[in-house]
Amino acid sequence: MAQKMSRPHAPPTLSVKGQDVRIRTIGIVVLTGVAIWFIAANTKSVGIRLWVPTVTLPLWAVLTVTLLVGLLMGGLMAHRRAKR
């Protein structure tokens, strides 16, 4: 019986201007662009109730902080997963 030789798994890529770019990278760039557009389109002030006080801030600031916290948490989780 012949044994199957497994090839190392390479991530899917596309060729952009002669360079291979991972599809995940393209998706991240597109989602980041949409998030920035969404943040720029929402400029009104909103009231945010913390446990006791209510704070009034521009919505773009709240969305930016939320995006940065999400990116930080995603990066930490990806880093932890890569260590395993």
Side-chain angles (χ1 to χ4, degrees):
M1 291 174 129
Q3 291 183 346
K4 291 185 178 180
M5 298 294 290
S6 63
R7 297 183 314 148
H9 177 69
T13 60
L14 291 174
S15 183
V16 178
K17 293 186 181 180
Q19 291 189 343
D20 288 337
V21 179
R22 291 172 65 176
I23 292 177
R24 181 182 355 179
T25 303
I26 294 170
I28 290 170
V29 169
V30 168
L31 286 176
T32 302
V34 169
I36 291 171
W37 171 79
F38 185 76
I39 289 169
N42 290 286
T43 57
K44 292 186 179 181
S45 291
V46 293
I48 298 174
R49 178 160 174 124
L50 303 174
W51 284 275
V52 176
T54 300
V55 181
T56 301
L57 293 169
L59 185 55
W60 67 265
V62 175
L63 292 171
T64 301
V65 169
T66 303
L67 175 65
L68 293 176
V69 169
L71 289 173
L72 179 66
M73 291 177 69
L76 288 173
M77 296 208 36
H79 179 70
R80 288 187 65 185
R81 186 182 307 170
K83 287 175 85 173
R84 286 191 213 179

